[in-house]
Amino acid sequence: MAHVHAPGLVLRMDPDELLNNAAKCSCEEDLAVNAQHYFLCIAADAKEGWWVPLFTGPRVGTKEIPGSSKTGDPRWIGVPAHYSTDQVWRASHKAVQRAATAAHDRSTPKLANRVIAKSLPGPQEFPGISA
C-alpha cells in the first residue's frame, strides 16, 4: 500500500493501532471511535496527516458526504458517510499505514477510496486541528 497521504484519501483503519503508534485524537478517549472505521484525510504534510472517522449513520452534529462525491472501491462507495467536527486524529504516515494494514484496507493506489475536492471538509471546520 503506497498511497500518497493527501486530503481526500479514505482508508479503513484500526484506531487501536493508531494509538499504538502515537496517534492523537482531539476528543476524550471514551468518546473516540474504538472500532475499525473509514477515515478521511482532511490535511497532510510531509510527516503526518489529520484524519476524520466516518460514520455510516447520522448523529447529532454530523455532516454527510454526498455519495456522488465518493470514488473507489464499491464497498466504500456503497455506504453512507458522515463526519463530526468534534473528532480528528493526528497521525504519522507510518501509523496510518500500520492502522490500515491492521484493518485490512483493500484500496490501492490505482483504485484509491477518495472524496472529491468540492465535498472535502476544510481543516478550518475542525477545532481539534493544531499545527
Side-chain angles (χ1 to χ4, degrees):
M1 172 179 36
H3 290 288
V4 174
H5 296 178
L9 179 64
V10 175
L11 297 174
R12 185 156 184 84
M13 291 195 278
D14 184 321
D16 288 335
E17 193 65 27
L18 286 171
L19 291 171
N20 289 341
N21 285 278
K24 302 290 182 206
C25 182
S26 65
C27 68
E28 304 268 340
E29 184 178 331
D30 60 332
L31 298 175
V33 294
N34 59 11
Q36 294 177 1
H37 277 72
Y38 284 110
F39 282 74
L40 169 64
C41 182
I42 58 167
D45 62 24
K47 295 181 182 180
E48 62 190 1
W50 289 262
W51 296 80
V52 177
L54 299 172
F55 306 96
T56 56
R59 297 176 178 196
V60 174
T62 61
K63 299 177 183 179
E64 185 172 8
I65 295 173
S68 61
S69 297
K70 297 161 59 177
T71 62
D73 187 292
R75 289 171 293 232
W76 151 246
I77 294 171
V79 296
H82 299 80
Y83 66 93
S84 170
T85 59
D86 294 335
Q87 186 173 167
V88 62
W89 291 66
R90 185 176 182 174
S92 70
H93 297 320
K94 174 77 76 184
V96 167
Q97 288 174 331
R98 289 178 176 166
T101 298
H104 307 288
D105 181 76
R106 294 184 182 186
S107 62
T108 66
K110 287 186 178 185
L111 185 62
N113 296 332
R114 299 197 52 81
V115 171
I116 61 174
K118 74 175 186 172
S119 295
L120 189 61
Q124 69 280 1
E125 289 186 52
F126 298 86
I129 287 188
S130 60

